[in-house]
Amino acid sequence: MRLLIFTDVDGTLIDHFTYRWDEAAAVLSLLKVLNVPVILNTSKTYSETLKLVREMGLNSPFAVENGAAIFFPEGFSPLPEGCERVGEGYCAVVLGKRYGEVREFFRKYAERYNLRGMGDMDTRTLRELTGLPEDALELMKRRMFSEPFVAEDIDKLGEFIRLAERNGYRVLRGGRFYHLVSDAQGKGRVVEVVKGLFGEDVLTVGLGDSENDEDMLRAVDIPILIPNPKKGYAPVSIPNLIRAKCLAPRGWADEVMKVLRTLKLV
Ligand SMILES: [Mg+2]
């Protein structure tokens, strides 16, 4: 049996406010020794995620911008068919639309629905919204597939969501931003694609903290919800959902260890 761990990043594997993950470091090392892939499945960009993957010493596939693309290390086995080389030691499977197309759609309607996109925000606004330093914001702005935004008029947001859905898009709600994404992509699709490479004998774990993690949590065998420090548990209702007791990253580490013990892998 092959164990695969799919995980959101912000507020799940790293602290919602400080972005630290020290408390999960030992478990990440253990998973590496056990040869269990830890597949980051995040709304972050490729540049942000790659930095984190390197810092964490991961050698697993990772998915970016809410399941828009999955990047596989070139030496990873099994590799999906048609995985396109993109440099930096990775090849990619793209599920979403390209950023230029998404941005064009967003800009057409942003004013009418009182929406402010990341592409229109200056560094100062972004710093206030995220608490991130400037170099991290640079990586965040290197978008390839999706537009994060804030809605200044919640009443109009519903209308925009319906318009987006009629045009091949979806609006997802993350920890800090809404995200305009292609309806062909998704964190759940990432689970399907990666799982499909391994055949029958696979057990999947998923960890997330927000509504945009719900389709990933639905697609896995063991779904784990990490509480948000401000909002508590996201309104996710899945029958076998495990609600972690602690916040990220402690809650992540504790729950993964419980799974490893149950499976007698430690
Ligand atoms: Mg999150």
Side-chain angles (χ1 to χ4, degrees):
M1 195 261 315
R2 191 75 199 265
L3 180 65
L4 303 174
I5 297 181
F6 294 86
T7 181
D8 170 54
V9 175
D10 280 357
T12 298
L13 173 55
I14 68 179
D15 185 284
H16 180 82
F17 297 110
T18 65
Y19 298 101
R20 296 185 69 107
W21 50 275
D22 332 27
E23 281 177 299
V27 181
L28 285 170
S29 303
L30 177 62
L31 291 166
K32 202 170 183 185
V33 173
L34 295 171
N35 197 22
V36 174
V38 176
I39 297 135
L40 303 188
N41 196 357
T42 174
S43 57
K44 288 178 178 297
T45 62
Y46 168 75
S47 304
E48 290 177 287
T49 316
L50 182 60
K51 181 167 183 275
L52 207 53
V53 160
R54 286 177 175 158
E55 285 167 4
M56 290 177 172
L58 297 174
N59 192 30
S60 309
F62 61 88
V64 306
E65 299 194 41
N66 283 303
I70 313 167
F71 293 85
F72 293 83
E74 280 174 0
F76 191 78
S77 175
L79 271 183
E81 256 177 64
C83 200
E84 236 176 274
R85 278 194 154 175
V86 290
E88 298 186 279
Y90 284 88
C91 72
V93 171
V94 176
L95 305 171
K97 295 186 207 289
R98 299 287 174 177
Y99 185 61
E101 192 183 338
V102 178
R103 247 318 260 178
E104 197 182 298
F105 178 82
F106 180 81
R107 286 189 63 176
K108 225 196 285 181
Y109 301 104
E111 206 172 317
R112 191 190 307 170
Y113 295 101
N114 284 15
L115 311 171
R116 212 141 51 93
M118 191 175 283
D120 301 309
M121 292 176 191
D122 57 24
T123 307
R124 200 177 133 194
T125 311
L126 272 177
R127 203 187 306 132
E128 280 168 11
L129 282 170
T130 62
L132 287 171
E134 208 153 314
D135 52 343
L137 293 176
E138 277 314 308
L139 302 180
M140 188 185 207
K141 280 156 75 180
R142 288 190 207 162
R143 314 210 63 83
M144 294 163 85
F145 308 102
S146 64
E147 179 73 335
F149 66 90
V150 291
E152 274 147 9
D153 185 342
I154 284 301
D155 295 335
K156 286 185 182 170
L157 177 66
E159 227 178 291
F160 176 70
I161 291 174
R162 285 188 291 279
L163 173 82
E165 285 172 352
R166 286 197 301 274
N167 286 277
Y169 292 93
R170 274 194 303 154
V171 173
L172 305 174
R173 187 179 191 161
R176 285 185 172 80
F177 295 97
Y178 292 96
H179 300 265
L180 179 65
V181 306
S182 158
D183 66 3
Q185 68 179 73
K187 290 190 175 194
R189 287 280 329 272
V190 172
V191 176
E192 287 165 26
V193 172
V194 177
K195 191 179 158 182
L197 299 172
F198 286 89
E200 291 293 295
D201 202 15
V202 169
L203 186 74
T204 52
V205 177
L207 301 108
D209 74 315
S210 294
E211 283 147 285
N212 69 337
D213 296 314
E214 183 161 356
D215 66 334
M216 168 177 69
L217 296 175
R218 265 181 207 289
V220 296
D221 302 308
I222 305 176
I224 300 168
L225 185 66
I226 307 285
N228 176 290
K230 280 195 197 152
K231 301 184 227 163
Y233 295 106
V236 169
S237 54
I238 301 170
N240 56 338
L241 185 69
I242 296 167
R243 288 187 168 79
K245 302 252 168 350
C246 300
L247 301 172
R250 179 82 266 153
W252 191 96
D254 288 352
E255 297 306 322
V256 170
M257 279 310 290
K258 278 186 209 165
V259 172
L260 296 179
R261 280 191 210 107
T262 307
L263 296 173
K264 302 206 170 13
L265 290 171
V266 288

